[in-house]
């Protein structure tokens, strides 16, 4: 058993750290404040081959392993959780869905520009009445000649207002239950598909989230991704990949909370001494560092299993559950260590605290992760 990254993985982590320090950290507070998608950063990420790290070179990616992509998401999220998440859902779900299920033609037409970062992907599953209960979805896709016609309303689509290629899930045969949902690749601008306005959110504010309305939206048959009826299985496999990304996002957030807490507690003097000298403060930092390590190992292990072509569904859920809840626990503590200053705009820990909350909710809530884990261990 080896507890170390390869030289290449270390190098990519270092390069991403430098990239994030130079281009992301300086604007992170501003894009949060203005809920702004930093298109200029995504242009640079594309130029640096960061938008398709685990995608084979023949489809425009960097041809590295999944763990390397996870390291990049972690480092980006350490500076800005929104930017890290946008890369995570684009690569981990949208690109992976096409890589694993697409035809050769679909991979050339859709995956290649996504992996090169020329186009941004989105995952369109959740509906107003169907969150955790995916089976309650009502969006339909009816075959009409050479096209499927989609009708329905999706919500909480990340990259909704900014995306180019949307992976949309709809019932082709509701009566077939779990074998009745299908997935379609729908390019932006397709008549009948309308992204809504960006939602105003507590955190993750520069990641763009919206409704997606489908009204008699005609999608050519060749845009069906995978087999008809295989959509739900594909969505669940997509979640497995995406959840490791959310775990990495959480690890990046905890690392940033720890960095800020160490720095501030050594600088802030009360009663004549740095507050870090108080056991109450230093133990908070000890707990933070310990759970950071545990979260990081769970996350890397899940990614490593994926790279070994082993099952990683349970491990992805465990990593996401633990890392996201740890992110919430420790960003609360990081604010506490900063006292009143941590409660004010301008303190990085204030943003980390708001950003951490979403990691317990999307790509399956903590309760949903416990369902996945218990379903596996009680089998
Ligand atoms: C910022 C943001 C970005 C998102 N991005 C995307 C995206 O790109 N694509 C996409 O498709 N979706 C996306 N989502 C949707 C997200 O995945 C859902 O919000 C999430 O799955 C929960 O669904 P819900 O909000 O409808 O909550 P609900 O399912 O209504 O759950 C409410 C509460 O009840 C609990 N609960 C529900 N059922 C059970 C049960 N059986 N047992 C115990 N507890 C239960 C939940 O855990 C939760 O605590 C995003 C959401 C947000 C907020």
């Amino acid at each position: 058993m080896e507890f170390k990254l390869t030289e290449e993985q270390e190098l990519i982590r270092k390069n991403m750290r430098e990239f994030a320090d130079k281009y992301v950290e300086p604007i992170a507070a501003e894009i949060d404040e203005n809920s702004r998608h930093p298109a200029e950063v995504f242009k640079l990420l594309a130029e640096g081959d960061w938008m398709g790290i685990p995608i084979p070179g023949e489809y425009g990616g960097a041809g590295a392993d999944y763990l390397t992509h996870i390291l990049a998401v972690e480092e980006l999220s350490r500076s800005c959780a929104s930017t890290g998440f946008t890369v995570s859902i684009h690569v981990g779900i949208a690109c992976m869905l096409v890589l694993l299920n697409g035809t050769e033609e679909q991979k050339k037409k859709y995956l290649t520009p996504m992996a090169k970062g020329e186009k941004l992907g989105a995952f369109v599953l959740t509906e107003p009445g169907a969150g955790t209960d995916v089976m309650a979805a009502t969006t339909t896709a009816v075959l009409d000649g050479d096209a499927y016609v989609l009708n329905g309303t999706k919500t909480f689509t990340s990259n909704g207002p900014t995306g180019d290629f949307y992976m949309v899930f709809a019932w082709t045969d509701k009566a077939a239950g779990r074998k009745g949902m299908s997935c379609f690749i729908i390019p932006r601008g397709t008549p009948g598909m309308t992204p809504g306005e960006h939602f105003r959110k507590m955190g993750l504010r520069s990641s763009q989230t919206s409704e997606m309305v489908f009204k008699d939206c005609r999608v050519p048959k060749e845009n069906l991704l995978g087999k008809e009826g295989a959509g739900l299985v594909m969505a669940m496999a997509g979640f497995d990949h995406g959840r490791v990304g959310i775990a990495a996002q959480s690890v990046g957030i905890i690392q940033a909370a720890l960095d800020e807490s160490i720095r501030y507690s050594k600088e802030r003097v009360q009663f004549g001494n740095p507050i870090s000298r108080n056991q109450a403060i230093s133990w908070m930092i000890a707990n933070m560092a310990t759970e950071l390590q545990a979260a990081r190992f769970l996350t890397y292990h899940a990614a490593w299993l994926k790279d070994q072509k082993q099952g990683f569904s349970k491990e992805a859920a465990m990593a996401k559950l633990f890392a996201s809840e740890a992110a919430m626990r420790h960003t609360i503590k990081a604010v506490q260590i900063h006292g009143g200053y941590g409660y004010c705009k301008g303190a990085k820990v204030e943003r980390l605290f708001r950003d951490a909350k979403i990691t317990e909710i999307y790509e399956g809530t903590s309760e949903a992760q416990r369902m996945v884990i218990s379903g596996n261990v009680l089998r």
Side-chain angles (χ1 to χ4, degrees):
M1 186 173 216
E2 290 219 29
F3 278 105
K4 70 181 181 54
L5 299 172
T6 63
E7 272 178 31
E8 192 194 3
Q9 288 163 342
E10 284 291 8
L11 182 66
I12 292 194
R13 177 203 276 288
K14 182 174 156 285
N15 289 348
M16 179 47 99
R17 183 72 259 128
E18 285 169 7
F19 179 97
D21 279 342
K22 189 166 176 191
Y23 299 112
V24 184
E25 192 76 41
I27 61 162
E30 177 267 312
I31 61 177
D32 167 68
E33 183 68 21
N34 297 317
S35 294
R36 182 175 74 80
H37 171 69
E40 73 281 14
V41 168
F42 282 90
K43 190 164 172 286
L44 293 170
L45 283 167
E47 285 168 13
D49 287 337
W50 296 108
M51 295 299 280
I53 292 175
I55 308 301
E58 60 185 306
Y59 301 123
D65 55 18
Y66 204 71
L67 177 52
T68 304
H69 156 68
I70 286 305
L71 296 171
V73 171
E74 177 190 330
E75 289 301 335
L76 268 178
S77 302
R78 190 170 163 186
S79 288
C80 172
S82 294
T83 307
F85 170 66
T86 302
V87 171
S88 175
I89 196 160
H90 164 83
V91 175
I93 303 205
C95 290
M96 290 308 292
L97 272 172
V98 185
L99 177 69
L100 298 177
N101 306 289
T103 61
E104 200 50 36
E105 200 189 334
Q106 288 170 335
K107 287 181 195 171
K108 290 206 171 91
K109 193 167 174 188
Y110 301 108
L111 177 59
T112 303
M114 283 200 291
K116 284 183 176 170
E118 294 162 2
K119 302 283 181 188
L120 194 58
F123 172 74
V124 191
L125 176 65
T126 303
E127 297 186 8
T132 306
D133 183 8
V134 175
M135 297 295 285
T138 57
T139 299
T140 52
V142 177
L143 192 57
D144 176 28
D146 59 357
Y148 288 90
V149 181
L150 273 78
N151 277 289
T153 299
K154 298 287 181 178
T155 194
F156 289 132
T157 304
S158 299
N159 304 339
T162 41
D164 298 290
F165 297 147
Y166 299 81
M167 310 299 138
V168 183
F169 293 81
W171 294 112
T172 37
D173 182 5
K174 176 102 195 192
R178 299 183 70 79
K179 291 185 176 164
M181 195 178 274
S182 302
C183 181
F184 302 87
I185 307 174
I186 311 188
R188 162 178 288 275
T190 300
M193 177 176 77
T194 315
E197 288 295 306
H198 171 44
F199 293 166
R200 297 182 63 220
K201 307 191 296 290
M202 171 199 291
L204 208 81
R205 288 163 54 86
S206 85
S207 161
Q208 308 290 300
T209 319
S210 73
E211 274 198 339
M212 296 291 299
V213 178
F214 297 85
K215 194 159 187 321
D216 297 330
C217 175
R218 281 186 79 82
V219 183
K221 252 176 158 175
E222 60 264 26
N223 286 35
L224 173 71
L225 182 62
K227 290 201 168 62
E228 196 180 281
L232 204 60
V233 173
M234 284 160 48
M236 294 307 133
F239 275 142
D240 290 343
H241 291 84
R243 282 170 185 163
V244 190
I246 305 305
Q249 183 197 17
S250 310
V251 170
I253 292 172
I254 308 169
Q255 179 69 63
L258 180 64
D259 296 343
E260 291 298 295
S261 299
I262 292 172
R263 184 189 54 74
Y264 187 80
S265 66
K266 284 180 167 179
E267 280 171 18
R268 176 68 173 169
V269 173
Q270 289 290 278
F271 297 98
N273 280 310
I275 58 168
S276 60
R277 301 258 182 97
N278 296 295
Q279 198 176 59
I281 301 291
S282 64
W283 283 21
M284 281 190 227
I285 291 177
N287 290 342
M288 210 180 282
T290 305
E291 291 203 13
L292 169 62
Q293 183 88 315
R296 186 170 273 142
F297 282 164
L298 280 171
T299 305
Y300 293 2
H301 181 237
W304 178 83
L305 284 174
K306 147 83 190 152
D307 287 329
Q308 304 305 309
K309 300 188 171 30
Q310 295 184 35
F312 65 104
S313 184
K314 178 186 71 183
E315 288 76 8
M318 286 175 163
K320 195 229 180 225
L321 173 65
F322 183 82
S324 63
E325 294 195 344
M328 200 65 244
R329 274 194 293 281
H330 296 299
T331 52
I332 289 177
K333 293 298 183 194
V335 171
Q336 192 68 16
I337 289 168
H338 284 67
Y341 299 98
Y343 195 65
C344 295
K345 291 279 174 198
K348 183 172 175 182
V349 291
E350 181 268 344
R351 171 165 51 87
L352 294 172
F353 169 72
R354 287 184 287 104
D355 285 346
K357 184 60 208 170
I358 189 59
T359 64
E360 295 182 314
I361 295 172
Y362 57 18
E363 299 194 22
T365 61
S366 288
E367 292 71 33
Q369 306 310 319
R370 289 186 168 89
M371 288 185 225
V372 173
I373 297 162
S374 59
N376 271 275
V377 299
L378 290 170
R379 246 205 295 243

